[in-house]
Every structure is written in C-alpha cells, then in structure tokens.
Amino acid sequence: MDNNMLGGKSIILRLEINIHEIKFGKVAAAIFEAGGDIVAMDVIQTSQNMTVRDITITVADAIDIHKITEAVKNLQGVSLVNVSDRTFLLHLGGKIEIKPKTPIQNRDDLSRVYTPDVARVCMAIHEEPRKAFTLTVKRNTVAVISDGSAVLGLGNIGPYAAMPVMEGKSMLFKQFADVDSYPICLDTQDTEQIIATIKAIAPGFGGINLEDISSPRCFEIEQRLREELDIPVFHDDQHGTAVVLYAALINALKIVGKSIDEIKVVVCGIGAAGVACSKILLSAGVKEIVGVDRDGALTADKKYDNAIWQWYAEHTNPYRIQGSLQEAIQGADVFIGLSAGGLLHREDVMEMAENPVVFAMANPTPEIRPEEAEDIVAVMATGRSDYPNQINNVLCFPGIFRGALDCRATTINEEMKLAAAEAIASSITDEERNRFYIIPSVFNQQVVKAIRDLVIKAAMKTGVARRIPREYR
Ligand SMILES: NC(=O)C1=CN([C@@H]2O[C@H](COP(=O)(O)OP(=O)(O)OC[C@H]3O[C@@H](n4cnc5c(N)ncnc54)[C@H](O)[C@@H]3O)[C@@H](O)[C@H]2O)C=CC1
Ligand SMILES: CC(=O)C(=O)O
Ligand SMILES: [Mg+2]
C-alpha cells in the first residue's frame, strides 16, 4: 500500500530550484494545477544559482500527491530532493518517551532511588507482594500488547509494523486518562508463546490491553490470560469496540425511532470485533443478527471448523439467510462493518430498510465512505477521526482502565463494560443528539470521568475491586 494512503493530507516537498532557469511562481502554479494548496514555505538554503525550499502543501487525497510530485519533477530547473508528510514527521523516533518523576540531583537522591536504599523497598514488596501496587509503576501502568496479526484493517503486517498503532494507543491512554502504558509487539504468533510471554511480564503491570490480535486466536489468548492472571486482561478490539458500538447504537435508534428488539442487524466481518459486537447486541436484546464474512452469511445450515463461527451461526441468523453481503443486507435496519475497506456500496444501502443506520467501522478505510451514502442514510458513523460520529474504541479503553486501575480491579467484567457503555451513551443529552452527533468526542474529558466512576461502582458491586477509592469510602 502507498504510505500516503494512510493519512498524510499535508506533505512537505523539499525542492532545489535553479533560479536562473525557473521562477518560483511557475513552480507554485504547477503545484496548484496538480491539486495542491501551498500553505507554508521555508527557505532552507540559498546560493547564487540555487535555492532550496521546503514547501508545505495540503492535498485532498493520495492521487494528488502523486500528481504533484510528477508535475514538479517535470519542471525544467527543479529537482525534487525529498517528499515527507506531517504524519511521518510526527512518527520520527517514535511518539512516546519514559521520564523520571523526580530528578536525581546528587548522591543522596541516587542512593534512595537506586542502591542501597532501593533494597529496603524491594524487601518490603518481597514480604508483602501487594505493595507492588503502591511502590512501583504497577499501580498506573498497562501493557498494550500486539502480535501484529490484525493491525487495524491492514491484516497480518507483523510486530514491527504494528508498533505505530500501539504507540498511538499508549499516547491516548496517557492523554485521555493519565494511564501510563508501554507498547509491546511480540515476535511470535503462537498462542502458547504469547500467553507464556504475557504471563511472564505481568508483574510490572496493573492491566493488559490486548490489541490487534487476529481471531480466532485472540479468543483463547484472552480467555486463558483472564483465568491465569489477577489483573484485568481486556482485548480492546473485542470489548472496547463493543462498548462504544452499543453506546452509539442506543443513540442512533433514538434518532430513527426503532426499538432494539425489532431491528435486523447485518454485521460484516466476523472477527475479533465483529464477534464481540454481536455478543453485546444479543445480550442487549437484538433478535435478528446476520453475520457475513468472506464466504457469505454465517448460517446454522453449514458446519464451520472455526469454533467461534460455529457458535455464532447457532446463535444468530434465525431465518438462516444464505449468500453474500448483498443478499444478507436486504431489509436490514443497521449495518455494522468490522471487516475491510470498500465492501459496502451505495446500491446495497438502497436495499436496506427505511431510515438505515450504517456504521462502517473498518480502519483506516471504512466499508463505505460517508460521502457515498450520506444522502440516503439516517445515521452514518465510521471509526475515523476525520468524519462526524467516530465509533472507535478510543472512547472506551482509557476510561475503563482508569476505573479498573483506580479500584485495583482483578478483572474487567460484563457489568463494568455495560457501565462504560451507559456512561458514553448518556453523555449526549436529548437536546444535543442529532444524526451527526450520536457519540461524544474523544476530547470530551467528562466522558472519561463518567466511564471511570460507573466502572468503579460496577467493580465494587460485583466484588472485583481490591481497593475502594477515597470518594467511595
Ligand atoms: N472502529 C473501531 O473502533 C474498530 C475498528 N476495527 C476494524 O475492524 C476491522 C476488523 O478488525 P478485527 O476484528 O480486529 O480483525 P480480525 O482479523 O479479527 O477480523 C476481521 C474479519 O473480517 C473478515 N473480512 C476481511 N475481509 C473481508 C471481506 N472482504 N469480506 C468479508 N469479511 C472480510 C475477516 O475474514 C475476519 O473474520 C479492521 O478494519 C479494524 O480496523 C476493529 C476494532 C475497533
Ligand atoms: C480502532 C482499532 O483498534 C482498530 O481499528 O483496530
Ligand atoms: Mg485495534
């Protein structure tokens, strides 16, 4: 895939221009004609014959970037030194760092944070292991762990390529909920090795956020770790997504005036996210869910090697609909896309029931782009930050872990997830709610706090809180 397809709407061209051969106005005109809008320019170097300039250009899409670079290369007297985009610049050297909380200014400080005095702290924890929560980073730190096997909708791109997403999740944890986290990408996709590795590194963490691990391995990995560790293990693509999806659906149904037990829902992509979203909808009372994957609708009339698909087929699709997405979507009230970009077409949306709700949540490219269907849908949402109604697990994972860490929960259970969904859905008032505003912004700090508070209450009520926060004592 062309790197620029992953986002960069703003690029910087470094050009070496022979000032005797071409005037800058001509360069600017060529960029403009190719679809670029020059928003800034820095002169890097000048000499009697040459000038080197960094030209910042905004573009509508990746095709324009190609057109612009070709146009510039074809100009006599111009040499294209480098093309960079702001997204790549933001990633130079990684996006996070670790800093000491206090400076070490003298030998006395050194002997306290390190040897010899640190030994007393070590022995205190040795004698009473739960002190690890008060005397180490465990109290506020989550591991963000991937094996690179299902990175966004990019597929199995491996542990190195997964790192930028995991670093991004760590940034979000810190900025939105003041949770510290380390991105960890494992160079194995073997279930047993992943489980053993995570168990081995768990002592330093207060929670494990599994990320972008493909199905069906993700189900066993999560389940085993939940059984074998005493800290929350949460597969974000399953549960974070399901929580936010459910919150968004509650509000979307209020707009279209349909009740949850009478809608037909088509879920496209029965992987980690698709299975978890379907499960939360089943428990919320949806009666007709049809799951569609690469081989079409999942139905109890077929047998599947994948145990989770077998379970899925037996618990959904009551009318045993068979066939492709195009067939399954006839008369559907809601489409939920958790598969790959571009799978849903305008013609398919036209076959849905009146006032269709379309949640095209694949990243980075949704199953259908809003501009293709917004005039024929009642409510449209994507997983992206650059369209209205962003249904993305970022609305859930910072707040749910904030709550879990603050009450030192041993797990994140169903009650805590439902509490998080309720906090998200109810953060939009009846007056505020409209077809472009069914879900709050990730920048709304009240949402993280609301999730945290309800999650702590749910943890206390279900007996999984090991610490009662001061305000609840
Ligand atoms: N908006 C959000 O918050 C989230 C969005 N996602 C997106 O959902 C998608 C799936 O993610 P995961 O469930 O983690 O991955 P996964 O690998 O566990 O599942 C993907 C599923 O989609 C199916 N699929 C792929 N291409 C298909 C096609 N052409 N037709 C039908 N089915 C197809 C696969 O067979 C697989 O079952 C990704 O695009 C991801 O970015 C995932 C989690 C959160
Ligand atoms: C948002 C997210 O976690 C994903 O697309 O995988
Ligand atoms: Mg993910």
Side-chain angles (χ1 to χ4, degrees):
M1 182 183 293
D2 178 348
N3 285 336
N4 290 321
M5 281 177 71
L6 304 185
K9 286 191 177 150
S10 173
I11 53 165
I12 301 173
L13 301 188
R14 178 161 291 184
L15 303 181
E16 189 176 303
I17 302 169
N18 183 323
I19 51 180
H20 303 300
E21 286 187 52
I22 188 163
K23 293 272 175 281
F24 183 72
K26 216 168 168 188
V27 180
I31 292 171
F32 180 73
E33 274 160 32
D37 184 17
I38 296 179
V39 291
M41 189 179 64
D42 297 302
V43 179
I44 303 300
Q45 197 186 332
T46 51
S47 70
Q48 281 189 334
N49 302 322
M50 292 289 179
T51 168
V52 178
R53 298 184 186 196
D54 274 356
I55 306 177
T56 308
I57 302 165
T58 55
V59 290
D61 60 36
I63 298 163
D64 288 341
I65 296 175
H66 181 69
K67 279 199 220 149
I68 291 164
T69 52
E70 286 306 301
V72 166
K73 278 188 209 158
N74 287 336
L75 292 172
Q76 186 73 26
V78 176
S79 135
L80 178 60
V81 181
N82 186 39
V83 185
S84 56
D85 73 30
R86 285 181 53 204
T87 303
F88 277 76
L89 292 177
L90 270 172
H91 284 79
L92 283 179
K95 295 184 293 233
I96 56 168
E97 63 178 357
I98 294 173
K99 276 189 180 159
K101 284 184 178 171
T102 47
I104 306 164
Q105 280 166 328
N106 50 44
R107 283 181 169 272
D108 187 45
D109 293 342
L110 186 61
S111 66
R112 285 180 207 282
V113 300
Y114 191 46
T115 179
D117 270 15
V118 72
R120 290 193 296 116
V121 183
C122 298
M123 290 316 291
I125 297 171
H126 179 64
E127 280 153 26
E128 210 177 325
R130 74 190 164 92
K131 284 195 172 154
F133 276 107
T134 46
L135 296 172
T136 75
V137 293
K138 186 176 181 73
R139 172 159 77 182
N140 197 46
T141 308
V142 167
V144 176
I145 305 181
S146 181
D147 64 354
S149 59
V151 182
L152 307 176
L154 305 173
N156 188 356
I157 60 174
Y160 293 95
M163 273 301 282
V165 174
M166 305 314 133
E167 288 183 19
K169 296 271 175 185
S170 286
M171 285 177 96
L172 301 169
F173 262 124
K174 186 67 184 174
Q175 168 148 351
F176 295 133
D178 201 20
V179 169
D180 295 303
S181 68
Y182 300 136
I184 297 170
C185 287
L186 304 176
D187 194 4
T188 173
Q189 294 187 351
D190 177 83
T191 298
E192 291 304 327
Q193 271 192 28
I194 291 174
I195 293 169
T197 307
I198 294 176
K199 282 176 68 178
I201 62 167
F205 297 99
I208 305 288
N209 183 83
L210 301 174
E211 191 68 48
D212 294 354
I213 299 177
S214 65
S215 57
R217 291 171 314 124
C218 63
F219 302 116
E220 185 184 350
I221 291 169
E222 187 197 40
Q223 164 133 5
R224 290 266 306 280
L225 287 169
R226 280 171 65 88
E227 286 162 10
E228 294 173 32
L229 288 174
D230 67 348
I231 51 174
V233 178
F234 182 84
H235 183 199
D236 180 37
D237 297 287
Q238 291 186 58
H239 316 298
T241 315
V243 162
V244 183
L245 171 274
Y246 179 41
L249 188 64
I250 292 173
N251 285 341
L253 291 182
K254 286 182 187 158
I255 288 175
V256 295
K258 295 182 186 177
S259 143
I260 198 142
D261 55 3
E262 63 184 27
I263 54 172
K264 173 182 174 184
V265 179
V266 168
V267 180
C268 180
I270 309 305
V275 168
C277 287
S278 303
K279 279 187 176 171
I280 210 166
L281 295 185
L282 286 173
S283 57
V286 178
K287 297 205 167 60
E288 189 180 0
I289 299 180
V290 183
V292 182
D293 209 277
R294 292 179 199 273
D295 295 332
L298 269 63
T299 156
D301 289 334
K302 291 189 186 164
K303 289 275 165 272
Y304 300 95
D305 294 339
N306 176 342
I308 198 80
W309 278 13
Q310 188 61 39
W311 178 93
Y312 193 101
E314 287 164 12
H315 289 81
T316 58
N317 199 352
Y319 304 110
R320 301 195 175 192
I321 293 170
Q322 302 214 2
S324 65
L325 174 60
Q326 283 62 37
E327 283 151 285
I329 205 158
Q330 306 286 327
D333 299 282
V334 178
F335 169 86
I336 296 172
L338 289 157
S339 50
L343 296 182
L344 186 72
H345 306 289
R346 186 177 168 86
E347 306 80 67
D348 307 326
V349 179
M350 290 172 102
E351 298 299 321
M352 292 177 70
E354 212 180 326
N355 289 324
V357 172
V358 173
F359 292 166
M361 293 162 65
N363 287 314
T365 313
E367 283 77 4
I368 184 167
R369 284 192 178 269
E371 44 277 37
E372 268 185 71
E374 62 197 348
D375 59 324
I376 53 168
V377 294
V379 184
M380 171 98 210
T382 70
R384 292 165 58 120
S385 316
D386 52 358
Y387 288 114
N389 291 336
Q390 180 180 26
I391 305 182
N392 192 297
N393 46 32
V394 60
L395 257 172
C396 173
F397 67 79
I400 211 166
F401 268 103
R402 182 71 277 154
L405 290 172
D406 285 353
C407 68
R408 240 167 259 168
T410 51
T411 187
I412 293 176
N413 58 28
E414 289 309 303
E415 290 79 359
M416 291 157 81
K417 290 179 217 162
L418 290 174
E422 191 188 319
I424 296 169
S426 60
S427 68
I428 294 191
T429 63
D430 290 348
E431 294 72 41
E432 288 170 330
R433 189 176 53 243
N434 66 58
R435 66 187 287 248
F436 297 115
Y437 191 51
I438 56 165
I439 195 93
S441 155
V442 297
F443 292 102
N444 181 341
Q445 277 299 297
Q446 298 311 316
V447 181
V448 170
K449 168 124 189 28
I451 296 173
R452 172 206 178 261
D453 291 349
L454 287 192
V455 164
I456 290 174
K457 282 184 191 153
M460 283 165 39
K461 201 168 158 195
T462 52
V464 300
R466 278 179 284 200
R467 169 180 177 269
I468 308 302
R470 202 177 301 276
E471 66 266 38
Y472 297 108
R473 280 180 209 156

